[in-house]
Amino acid sequence: MYKPGYSVSRRGFLALSLGRLAVLPAACSHPEPPPRFADLRFTHLPPMVLRAGRLDVQESYQSPLRPPNVEQEMPLPPARAARQWAFDRLQTSGESSLTVLMTILDASVTAKYLGVQKGLKGAFKTDQSERYDANLEATVELIDPSTGITLAQASAKVWRHVTVPENASVNDRDSAWFSLIEQLMGDFNNQMESSIRSYMVNYLSPRTFG
């Protein structure tokens, strides 16, 4: 039916149809697959061998599992990375009945939403819209199980942060989170190893020093 004020030529109709077909694949494209992250291990580093018979790891930190905390959403939460660090880097020699106990005191990651510029000026730039602050604190103790007395103790407390832009995808955010924990664990490894070698040196097996 003819409608006044609206007409399309055959050439225009073909162009319009082809334009719609060109848009169709983009509209039906599949979402980007989630990234796969390798396990964060520390087996490439020599273990620290303590003159003890048992290694335990416990978490006194309890995540609130709600905003502003986000560690429960991360592909690699700090607590899991710290636990793996303990099993990779701490060993016991079996020379005594002493217990090596690593306690995770803090393994939180909190989100802070940053202000982004609105309006015409904001349309021409990309702001950092979110900041994530990661914290990790732990102690390593050598305990006499017969008395419950701590014979030696080392500790580490580290923190890092990262920001992500307002146009970041979920995959971009997950990758930023993983890099954040990698850097956090690098700091933790250096600080805890230094503390163990300083304050628990009398209980380190000669195997630690090669």
Side-chain angles (χ1 to χ4, degrees):
M1 178 183 294
Y2 172 77
K3 293 184 179 180
Y6 181 83
S7 63
V8 179
S9 66
R10 184 172 182 276
R11 180 177 296 178
F13 175 80
L14 288 174
L16 182 61
S17 300
L18 290 172
R20 286 176 177 173
L21 288 174
V23 172
L24 185 60
C28 299
S29 62
H30 296 290
E32 184 181 354
R36 297 192 176 201
F37 301 104
D39 290 336
L40 188 57
R41 302 296 303 271
F42 301 87
T43 50
H44 62 288
L45 299 172
M48 290 174 282
V49 185
L50 290 145
R51 294 176 174 175
R54 178 174 175 172
L55 170 63
D56 288 334
V57 180
Q58 68 178 17
E59 297 178 34
S60 64
Y61 171 74
Q62 296 293 322
S63 173
L65 303 177
R66 63 178 181 271
N69 289 70
V70 295
E71 62 267 13
Q72 68 277 3
E73 302 175 21
M74 302 179 76
L76 180 62
R80 196 171 84 209
R83 181 178 288 272
Q84 189 61 60
W85 179 91
F87 293 130
D88 284 348
R89 295 237 52 203
L90 301 178
Q91 290 185 8
T92 58
S93 65
E95 296 177 44
S96 72
S97 61
L98 301 179
T99 297
V100 177
L101 174 63
M102 176 164 149
T103 303
I104 300 169
L105 303 173
D106 187 7
S108 60
V109 183
T110 54
K112 180 179 181 180
Y113 296 96
L114 309 174
V116 296
Q117 190 168 16
K118 304 291 185 181
L120 186 60
K121 289 184 178 180
F124 291 96
K125 69 175 189 175
T126 301
D127 288 325
Q128 299 295 303
S129 62
E130 298 169 10
R131 169 174 167 145
Y132 299 99
D133 292 277
N135 301 277
L136 182 58
E137 182 179 3
T139 59
V140 174
E141 301 171 85
L142 191 68
I143 300 172
D144 184 342
S146 64
T147 63
I149 294 175
T150 297
L151 304 176
Q153 178 177 306
S155 62
K157 183 177 182 179
V158 296
W159 55 90
R160 283 264 184 173
H161 79 271
V162 68
T163 59
V164 297
E166 58 184 314
N167 61 352
S169 67
V170 172
N171 288 352
D172 293 336
R173 185 199 62 188
D174 285 350
S175 296
W177 278 351
F178 188 82
S179 296
L180 173 65
I181 301 307
E182 274 190 314
Q183 296 173 36
L184 184 77
M185 289 307 303
D187 294 342
F188 178 84
N189 174 74
N190 293 338
Q191 192 176 123
M192 185 61 89
E193 178 171 1
S194 177
S195 185
I196 288 173
R197 290 181 181 273
S198 295
Y199 299 109
M200 305 180 78
V201 63
N202 292 335
Y203 297 96
L204 285 173
S205 168
R207 289 162 52 192
T208 300
F209 307 100

